[in-house]
Amino acid sequence: MQLPKNVTQIGETNPHCKIYVEDYVISYMKQLNQYAGDKRMAVALYGIRKEEDGITYLFFYGAGRLNFLQKECRHLSQAVLQESEKLRKRYFSDYVFLGYRLLDGEMVEGFHVCEQGVCRYIEGYAQFYEKNDSMLAYMVDQRQEEAKPEEFDQEKYNTVKKRQEERRALSEERGWNGGKSSALWNGHAKEPDTESGAARLRRMKYSVAAIFALLCVTGLAAMGNGVKLGDLQSAAGRFLDNLIRRQLPDAPEDFMEVSNGSVQVGTIVAEDKLNEAILKENEAKSTSEPALQPTPESSVPPAPNPGEQSTPEPVMTPEPVVTPQPTNAPQQTQKPAVQPSAEPVSYTVKRGDTLIGICIRRYGSDARVAEVCSLNNISNPDSIKIGQNILLP
């Protein structure tokens, strides 16, 4: 048997088992030994076994790291054996598994040789230099794996990206539904508006200020020039209708309140202020000049007095007012004035209309909203639609 030349002996040789280790195997174990310490690292050894004159000769041509072996043992586990066999088939198929070495940062002076399932430690070996393509290929492959950038699972990346797209689409859908629902705010039959929130808020403030200014001017003019209250109401109603047709913004931030995390919109400020102004104007009118009351009818009409005649005038309030007769007149049973019944008038709902606004423009107050709802079988006074025909008594 021809032994390697140019050898370097490390430690004392064993008379029954002589070990020869190729230089690439020693170089790999020294590199790995730098990272070993408290956490030990193990390498499997591959090569050729020969017998001559009762002496065993082991030639190590390959070494690969074992992940399942971290302590010395006489019998290797099935996991370690499977791992060593996997490395052998991939890199060292021309050799057999001969043993292992446990690295702890100290100098390598011996190896654990496995034979017939039993591992024993053999001290001393000879280092030799020879062409070793299999070990060189393994070391190059290990360096490429260490320098390889971190990889990620493409499937997981696609799953996360799909979830983000679904959440983005759901957010956009909720945003569109929110804009659509706000168009029906407080019963308004209005189309969605794409105007920005800041611009709508400024235009709303200017509109409300214009309404107050108009009411103040018309109120002063009415008290000074004796304009009838009905004309004032008609003019204010027409102005409000024209203003609503210009698509006043939906609910601005000033007229919203948050309840349980959701935005709740109140009633329209413009209509409330108009109703309040009309009621104040009625009170001022009643205090400045006496109201004209119709003459009540009795069950037995008295004899007409040619020297005293009175013509009843209609009153704007929906409830009749009973005027007491003089004390010198005979006691009679009085009845409330019966107003003539009029045929209901058909009205087509327009954009921006509400039942409160329609009743204020027609009757001067919102007292007959319930009557209009009852006449038209409307359960929710805030739910009307554009183009809907309703009857006004």
Side-chain angles (χ1 to χ4, degrees):
M1 181 179 58
Q2 186 177 359
L3 297 175
K5 298 179 181 181
N6 299 327
V7 298
T8 302
Q9 184 66 36
I10 307 297
E12 297 181 0
T13 60
N14 189 294
H16 304 288
C17 182
K18 299 183 181 295
I19 301 175
Y20 293 85
V21 184
E22 203 277 324
D23 180 64
Y24 278 135
V25 177
I26 296 297
S27 298
Y28 173 71
M29 287 192 294
K30 287 181 178 180
Q31 294 176 3
L32 199 63
N33 202 17
Q34 297 176 1
Y35 304 99
D38 296 338
K39 183 178 180 181
R40 295 183 177 183
M41 296 181 180
V43 292
L45 299 171
Y46 305 93
I48 300 174
R49 180 193 299 269
K50 293 183 177 181
E51 300 284 343
E52 185 175 318
D53 298 334
I55 301 175
T56 302
Y57 293 87
L58 302 178
F59 302 90
F60 293 158
Y61 288 96
R65 182 177 177 182
L66 294 174
N67 296 317
F68 296 101
L69 182 61
Q70 296 181 352
K71 64 179 181 178
E72 296 182 5
C73 56
R74 291 180 57 83
H75 302 279
L76 298 179
S77 65
Q78 190 68 24
V80 174
L81 293 176
Q82 291 178 358
E83 186 180 11
S84 62
E85 181 64 16
K86 183 177 180 182
L87 284 173
R88 189 194 69 80
K89 289 181 179 180
R90 182 175 180 182
Y91 297 102
F92 312 107
S93 58
D94 295 337
Y95 306 107
V96 296
F97 174 71
L98 298 177
Y100 70 90
R101 168 65 192 186
L102 202 62
L103 304 177
D104 53 3
E106 300 294 336
M107 181 179 177
V108 177
E109 295 181 351
F111 302 92
H112 286 81
V113 177
C114 297
E115 186 177 4
Q116 296 180 357
V118 180
C119 300
R120 56 193 180 92
Y121 183 73
I122 303 297
E123 187 176 0
Y125 64 94
Q127 180 179 352
F128 70 96
Y129 303 90
E130 191 175 311
K131 185 179 179 180
N132 191 354
D133 294 334
S134 59
M135 189 61 198
L136 180 61
Y138 175 77
M139 294 175 67
V140 172
D141 194 8
Q142 290 298 310
R143 288 182 180 180
Q144 290 179 353
E145 289 184 359
E146 292 177 359
K148 189 176 181 180
E150 182 180 1
E151 297 180 355
F152 59 89
D153 192 351
Q154 184 67 27
E155 183 178 356
K156 293 182 179 179
Y157 172 77
N158 295 335
T159 303
V160 173
K161 185 177 180 181
K162 183 178 179 181
R163 290 178 181 175
Q164 291 178 350
E165 293 176 354
E166 291 177 354
R167 285 195 293 266
R168 187 181 299 109
L170 182 60
S171 177
E172 292 177 357
E173 182 180 356
R174 289 179 177 175
W176 167 250
N177 291 337
K180 185 176 180 181
S181 61
S182 63
L184 301 177
W185 169 58
N186 201 26
H188 283 272
K190 181 190 281 189
E191 298 176 357
D193 192 2
T194 58
E195 189 177 6
S196 64
R200 292 186 304 186
L201 180 59
R202 287 195 299 269
R203 196 151 61 87
M204 183 65 181
K205 292 180 179 179
Y206 295 153
S207 302
V208 173
I211 292 174
F212 281 124
L214 178 64
L215 291 176
C216 294
V217 173
T218 52
L220 294 175
M223 290 192 301
N225 299 329
V227 180
K228 291 184 178 180
L229 184 60
D231 296 338
L232 175 62
Q233 295 174 352
S234 301
R238 288 193 300 271
F239 176 78
L240 179 61
D241 184 59
N242 293 334
L243 189 61
I244 293 176
R245 288 176 183 274
R246 296 177 184 174
Q247 292 186 355
L248 283 177
D250 295 340
E253 297 179 358
D254 294 344
F255 309 119
M256 293 184 180
E257 58 181 3
V258 180
S259 176
N260 294 330
S262 60
V263 178
Q264 305 292 336
V265 184
T267 56
I268 300 177
V269 176
E271 291 184 359
D272 289 347
K273 297 298 182 180
L274 179 61
N275 188 19
E276 182 180 355
I278 292 175
L279 295 177
K280 290 183 179 180
E281 186 66 24
N282 289 339
E283 295 177 0
K285 191 71 176 178
S286 61
T287 56
S288 61
E289 56 183 68
L292 299 178
Q293 306 291 342
T295 303
E297 298 180 0
S298 60
S299 58
V300 181
N305 189 356
E308 182 179 355
Q309 296 182 356
S310 62
T311 303
E313 294 185 5
V315 181
M316 299 303 297
T317 57
E319 297 180 0
V321 180
V322 180
T323 304
Q325 294 188 0
T327 54
N328 54 359
Q331 297 291 334
Q332 297 177 355
T333 304
Q334 298 180 356
K335 292 183 179 181
V338 179
Q339 296 188 3
S341 61
E343 293 294 331
V345 178
S346 177
Y347 178 78
T348 302
V349 177
K350 302 175 183 178
R351 184 173 52 190
D353 280 344
T354 61
L355 288 181
I356 296 176
I358 294 173
C359 292
I360 290 176
R361 292 197 300 270
R362 180 168 178 81
Y363 306 113
S365 68
D366 57 354
R368 304 187 69 176
V369 172
E371 183 179 354
V372 174
C373 292
S374 177
L375 181 61
N376 294 273
N377 295 325
I378 297 176
S379 59
N380 184 4
D382 291 336
S383 177
I384 57 177
K385 301 179 180 178
I386 298 176
Q388 179 180 354
N389 292 324
I390 60 175
L391 298 178
L392 302 177

